[in-house]
Amino acid sequence: MMDVPTANQSDTPCQPWAGQNGWSPASPQGPPCNPLPSFQNLSLSSPSDQRPGYEQLQGTTDEFVPNATAEDRNITPQSPSSESRYGLDPELLPSVVKVIADDSAEWEGKVFVSEAFSRLPPLATTSCIIEDRGNASPLAIRSASYCIPCDAQTALLSRLPLGALVTPLAKQNDGEPLPVCTEPECVSNCGCCGASMCPAMGWQDCGQRFYCPFCGKLSEVPWQHYQPTKGVEGARLDKDNRPELSMGSYEKVNSQKGEPAALLLAIDVSASAVRGGHLEFATQQILTLLTSLKMEDGDVRVGLMTYDSRIHLYDLSPALSRPHMLVITETEDLQLPVREGLLVPLKDCIDSIDSVLQLVPQFSPECDSSSGVPIELPVKAGLAVLQALSCPGKLLIFHTAPLTEMGLTHSSSGFFGSNKPKSIFQPSDPAISLAKECVSQGCGVSLFVLSQQDVGGAWPGHIPYLTGGALYTYSHLQGELDRERFSTDLNKILETDTGYKAELRIFVSKDMRVSGCYGLFLPGPSPSQVTMATVDWRTTLAVELAHSRALDEARGVAIQTVLSYSTRTGDRRTRVHTLTLRCSRHLQDTFRQYQAQTLLTFYSKKIYCTVLERPLQELREELQTEVTEALASYRRHCCSASVSAGQLVLPQYLRALPVYINTLPLTSTLCCCLCRWQLTTPSAPPPEALRCCAASLEPGCLYLIHAPLTLLLWVGDQVPSCTLVELFNNNCFSSLLSGETKLPVLDNPLSIRVRSLISTLNSQAPCARKLWVVKQGDTCEEALQRHLVEDKSPNGGASYADFLYHLHVNSVRLLQ
């Protein structure tokens, strides 16, 4: 634990919280307390009378400050943005980097056995082997807490959410194949609630019936699936031979088969697109991609359309000597003139597509598109093609004209500047209806905006996001870097294995219920049932749980997700994940089984889904209040009475929670990592992860900020000229250009290491990211400061140290 400054009783009393919702780090009025005249020294020692059954932040000052005190150690002076107005030394505070490093040291390369009632799994940032022994891998289901309170009152006292992060199509680690069986071979599901067979089912009457923990009822076993049981636990004799009885995750191949998925390409050929001059490059990249795809899968059906204010469909039938263009001018009530030839196997139509793409840059639009082309127009046309042929698919739209909503005639800039009653972030009702149709058909929409224009609000991206697609923006594809990003993003879309027409059902033990589900999908009538157009290994949902009645401590809690989806070839499959957790009547057991990383993701998804309905500032204050009350509850119910008011007490695995919570209002990227290169030989260790604060930056080093949406390479003004030559082929710091760049390909160890790491990081991201060079002291350094989440935000907001101080002070005040 740590001692933090406390006010004397004679000091000026603290001001009340704004609206009693907790102090907001983004508040322009600053913290609620007056500056204090004196401070106590920080101490990380734990009390001698620590009660068994709970853990605190332990250790000594030497863990964080080896061989020196806070006053005399020789380090880079802290910048004003890193300093605490209350005298706290940030170096002595809990560090995300240390938490991640400790977990990695414990689990890296080792085996985590995932079995019923297992302990906390390794963090998501740690690479280790997961052995499925009846519990799903944390890659597929990761619970917020691995110990659930037995009753609702105890859960309410924690003030932390109960729930799980669900990734139904999570990638399996190497050497961990997912067991697959056919539907007729699997033991039948629960006849009452429909939950899939899993190790959490209990067997009775010598195997003739089984108890379902999700509905609490008994089901008869069909004669063809009967096997006797053995032992005290009543396990079936064939348990080890059936994945549905012994594995936490497995997949069933259903007997039914649907239409294979198709690929539809829609290209904007309006006046602004033709004048932009980038259509030639875009069509060349599309053709290159299709040529490569033909070698891998020539049977995939492909369709092509162009559009301005009208729709141009193309009959690609191989029987035709050349493709035929079919023009649809009536777009309100869109009717297809033909069906045959609109979707053709790629191996049979690649030459026809080539001839059309060669002509696209030479189009002469017959109408001016200065008023914009509704982005819903190509979506409606692509959806009509898929509906006519009764198949799912991916629709890729390459759009250039000014963005407008269906039924609106003004430009995007006029829309943003208007005083419309509704928020620009609220999608229109027609667009929502169109997204629902796409979901029903299994049509995933990805939108490539190829022009430099305002892209904001919900409406350019709501259909892609709600259908499992994505929104990509570029600047006319005029620069080499934008063109590389475009090519990379285009390849990633087709390389990603995708499920279509997906239906997800979430089951939970009978004494609990699914109270909420958060993610990129259209809400249905029940939070326990989600329908999605497309789903892939990155699709993650946050599921919130609540008590219906008290739980049986002996039985624990079971969570099951059942995803039914179609593969690209039309096969219907069902993927099942089951997680069994223990439960306890003691609040401290629940606190000890929370992980800060999981809570960060859970809160992020929940806030994202709520921000369209409630003010962001209100959500920030509510989140800070919940965390403050959680810390107060931990002190009240899990700590001994001898803990002083100046000691900050945190559960062991929630040490990083305060910095995560403070990160949410400071940056839209939510999470980032700071790495440093040691300027030494080729045998040097990998880049070192550092705390995201200005104090970590030394003038003689190179640093990489790795964030979800960008990569920033910070160059100190004292980096040796030989290093600049090795990395940038430039020996002068002053002549080094800041801004978006591409590192030159140089044959030396440093260049190879840096470019290799950047390539690896980009391969793990959902989209290609720009690399920005930021020179120390340059004006563009503000872009980096926004990612230094432990410092004060350039836009206003508390540093991590000050936020942690107020979090502690407010939690103690709640106990008074």
Side-chain angles (χ1 to χ4, degrees), residues 38 44 67 72 76 90 172 188 201 314 330 379 383 448 493 499 520 536 615 636 710 713 741 744 800:
S38 62
L44 298 182
N67 305 322
D72 65 9
T76 303
Q172 299 296 116
S188 57
M201 302 289 188
Y314 295 89
E330 182 54 53
V379 178
L383 180 61
F448 295 79
I493 286 183
L520 291 175
D536 58 43
R636 183 190 302 275
T710 188
L713 182 58
T741 189
Y800 164 44

Side-chain angles (χ1 to χ4, degrees), residues 91-128:
E91 291 295 317
L92 302 181
L93 302 181
S95 165
V96 172
V97 172
K98 188 177 188 305
V99 169
I100 293 176
D102 290 346
D103 189 78
S104 179
E106 180 181 357
W107 287 107
E108 191 80 33
K110 299 179 181 178
V111 177
F112 172 76
V113 178
S114 185
E115 54 189 350
F117 312 117
S118 61
R119 57 174 173 164
L120 269 173
L123 295 177
T125 50
T126 299
S127 175
C128 73

